[in-house]
Amino acid sequence: MRFRTLWQTTTFRLTALYGLLFALGTFALLGMVYVQSVVYLTRRVDGILNTEADALARSPRPGLRQRLVEELTLNGDTTNIYALFSADGVRIAGNLDAMPAALGVDARPLEIPVTRGFSAHARLIARRLPSGEVMVVGRDVDQLREMRSIVTSALVWSGVSIILVGFACGTALSIRPMQRIHRLRAVAQDIARGDLKRRMPTTQRRDELDMFADTLNYMMSEVERLMSEVQNATAVIAHDLLGPLANVTQQLRRLQTAEAVEHADIARITERIEDVLDRFRAILRLAELEAGQRRAGFKHVDLAQLVESVAQLYAPLAEEAGLRLLPIIEHGIHAEADPELLFEALSNLIDNAIKFSQRGGTVQVRVGKDPARPQLIVQDNGPGIPSNERTAVLQRFYRVERNHPVPGSGLGLSVVAAIIRLHDFDLLLEDADPGVRAVIECRTSEARSKSPAQ
């Protein structure tokens, strides 16, 4: 796997970023330890040198040379420096051959490298005595230098190790996501070539890739459903419109050769053309609804008031069909919806119930009693819908075989289903024994937020 491909993965970049931050933190920590340790030890050495130099400077001049010899004897001449120089820099006593040029008299201590007379790095301090002579006191600081070297090596190697481990971890953590992404891309390419049955693979881990795959699978299910509906609709339109258009064509040709044109003939032709236009209007309405452009009209809807309005509109139609339209109102139930679209969906359900019920029957329209689960229910006592066709009737132009003699385009329930999908509600068709019970279940905000469509 190439580095460029690895770098394109979020996992690798996050791992590299966290590794870099950890490395910087480690550098900062060890750097602080280094600075604090070195400063502390350097100050400690300087304090000891100042104390010794001050003590020796107060010693009587006649015995100072002997005192320096004693100090060298007691403390060792390989770890300590004691020297006495004349005013012009000539060594009088001690284990330092010459006074370093950079060492200032009565100045701050100075660290010097290996020099003649002393085989280690040392830190020196010089004091001018009342006699004009210069006394130098020093101490071996190789241990301090070794500590600096150890901490510096720790800084370097820890940084290198963290970078290498971070790179290795980023690579290891990125391999499986990249393999999954390659599989997802392969499935996406199959879908792009027209295989709408393919679905994105998921795992048991339920990570972000699985959530994304679930969303894509839901989207592909909707695309497949819409494509299937389009294909079925195209075939049904061709089949259903062929008869009326052929009939209109024949009548128009007959009128072309007729000596006199009857108004009844024109009325029949107009009726057939209006039937075709109604179907196309319904198709355009479905396209508008499925485009999902009406969400801006959502607001708080009183379901009881909605049922009353629809019942008043369809009461004369039910009476004309010899039916009783019975509204059962439950006040205080509300839903977030587009009132015009919900009115249209409820109207289509009532229109279907009236159309397929027998004379003398009853059509009920009511509101569910549970405010936490708003429902609109339309129930009739007609022949009902077979259980194996309750999903199919929601497709465009689909009609139950025994209902073919009843006029209609087979688009009413498709419009209802499109409105329900736009609202993210649920539509249930249940057996009312006899008849069918259509339930529009209006989801609450909490339920809607958990919907796969979201």
Side-chain angles (χ1 to χ4, degrees):
M1 189 177 295
R2 294 178 301 177
F3 176 77
R4 183 177 179 182
T5 304
L6 282 175
W7 182 251
Q8 291 174 345
T9 63
T10 302
T11 302
F12 184 84
R13 285 183 293 195
L14 286 177
T15 304
L17 177 60
Y18 293 150
L20 177 61
L21 293 175
F22 186 74
L24 292 176
T26 304
F27 273 124
L29 176 62
L30 292 178
M32 184 175 63
V33 171
Y34 172 81
V35 171
Q36 293 293 331
S37 301
V38 170
V39 168
Y40 169 75
L41 292 176
T42 301
R43 287 179 178 175
R44 183 178 177 84
V45 171
D46 290 349
I48 294 173
L49 291 177
N50 276 293
T51 301
E52 289 186 351
D54 291 341
L56 289 172
R58 289 193 296 270
S59 299
R61 172 64 186 85
L64 180 58
R65 182 173 181 176
Q66 183 62 30
R67 177 75 181 274
L68 294 179
V69 173
E70 292 175 357
E71 291 291 341
L72 287 173
T73 303
L74 291 173
N75 298 318
D77 60 356
T78 60
T79 57
N80 294 275
I81 293 176
Y82 296 98
L84 183 63
F85 295 92
S86 65
D88 54 0
V90 177
R91 182 171 74 92
I92 300 173
N95 60 342
L96 188 64
D97 291 345
M99 182 173 164
L103 181 61
V105 179
D106 294 329
R108 298 181 62 183
L110 174 69
E111 187 171 325
I112 63 169
V114 177
T115 185
R116 284 192 309 162
F118 196 75
S119 59
H121 287 77
R123 196 165 182 84
L124 306 178
I125 188 171
R127 287 282 190 273
R128 188 172 297 276
L129 302 176
S131 62
E133 296 171 329
V134 177
M135 180 185 62
V136 177
V137 178
R139 176 163 291 198
D140 176 12
V141 291
D142 275 347
Q143 290 183 348
L144 180 60
R145 290 174 58 83
E146 288 177 5
M147 181 177 178
R148 293 174 184 169
S149 177
I150 292 172
V151 176
T152 302
S153 298
L155 278 171
V156 173
W157 286 111
S158 62
V160 172
S161 301
I162 290 171
I163 292 173
L164 292 178
V165 170
F167 181 82
C169 290
T171 302
L173 293 173
S174 301
I175 288 176
R176 288 184 64 84
M178 283 302 300
Q179 290 174 344
R180 292 179 62 192
I181 288 173
H182 288 321
R183 290 196 294 269
L184 294 175
R185 290 179 62 183
V187 173
Q189 290 171 354
D190 291 341
I191 293 173
R193 285 192 287 265
D195 187 1
L196 300 182
K197 296 291 184 183
R198 292 296 303 273
R199 293 295 180 267
M200 297 295 175
T202 58
T203 65
Q204 299 297 325
R205 291 194 296 271
R206 310 310 302 163
D207 56 11
E208 62 273 10
L209 285 178
D210 288 324
M211 291 187 287
F212 182 66
D214 287 340
T215 302
L216 288 179
N217 288 338
Y218 175 80
M219 179 187 71
M220 286 311 306
S221 298
E222 287 295 294
V223 170
E224 183 184 9
R225 178 186 62 79
L226 293 175
M227 291 294 294
S228 176
E229 288 187 4
V230 168
Q231 292 173 354
N232 293 336
T234 302
V236 172
I237 289 173
H239 180 270
D240 284 6
L241 298 186
L242 181 61
L245 292 177
N247 183 269
V248 168
T249 302
Q250 290 176 359
Q251 293 188 38
L252 288 175
R253 287 176 178 172
R254 184 175 58 80
L255 291 178
Q256 283 180 332
T257 60
E259 296 181 357
V261 178
E262 298 290 338
H263 289 288
D265 294 333
I266 296 177
R268 282 195 298 272
I269 293 174
T270 303
E271 182 179 353
R272 302 297 295 217
I273 293 176
E274 283 294 335
D275 181 53
V276 172
L277 291 176
D278 286 341
R279 297 192 182 201
F280 278 110
R281 291 189 189 101
I283 293 172
L284 292 175
R285 180 62 175 149
L286 274 172
E288 177 190 356
L289 291 172
E290 290 179 344
Q293 301 299 321
R294 290 290 299 270
R295 288 188 178 272
F298 280 34
K299 58 184 179 181
H300 214 49
V301 178
D302 186 339
L303 298 186
Q305 184 177 352
L306 181 70
V307 168
E308 288 177 350
S309 300
V310 177
Q312 290 176 4
L313 177 65
Y314 278 87
L317 181 62
E319 185 177 352
E320 183 180 345
L323 300 170
R324 180 189 177 196
L325 181 59
L326 179 61
I328 302 176
I329 308 300
E330 187 73 30
H331 293 280
I333 311 296
H334 298 82
E336 289 292 327
D338 186 316
E340 295 180 4
L341 293 181
L342 204 55
F343 184 96
E344 182 177 353
L346 192 59
S347 298
N348 280 345
L349 291 177
I350 294 176
D351 183 70
N352 270 8
I354 293 174
K355 187 184 299 183
F356 295 107
S357 294
Q358 303 295 329
R359 295 184 68 87
T362 300
V363 175
Q364 291 184 7
V365 53
R366 65 179 186 271
V367 180
K369 297 181 179 181
D370 187 358
R373 192 183 177 191
Q375 289 182 334
L376 291 171
I377 303 169
V378 177
Q379 180 176 330
D380 61 58
N381 53 5
I385 302 174
S387 58
N388 59 342
E389 295 186 76
R390 288 174 190 164
T391 301
V393 294
L394 300 179
Q395 300 175 4
R396 300 181 185 186
F397 299 105
Y398 186 90
R399 302 188 70 193
V400 178
E401 187 65 29
R402 66 189 178 203
N403 293 337
H404 277 199
V406 181
S409 62
L411 289 171
L413 287 179
S414 299
V415 171
V416 174
I419 293 174
I420 296 305
R421 280 194 298 271
L422 178 64
H423 284 76
D424 196 22
F425 291 168
D426 289 323
L427 175 62
L428 306 176
L429 298 179
E430 303 171 345
D431 187 8
D433 193 27
V436 65
R437 182 187 301 108
V439 181
I440 297 176
E441 187 168 303
C442 309
R443 296 185 187 179
T444 61
S445 301
E446 292 78 8
R448 186 182 292 112
S449 64
K450 298 177 182 178
S451 171
Q454 302 297 318

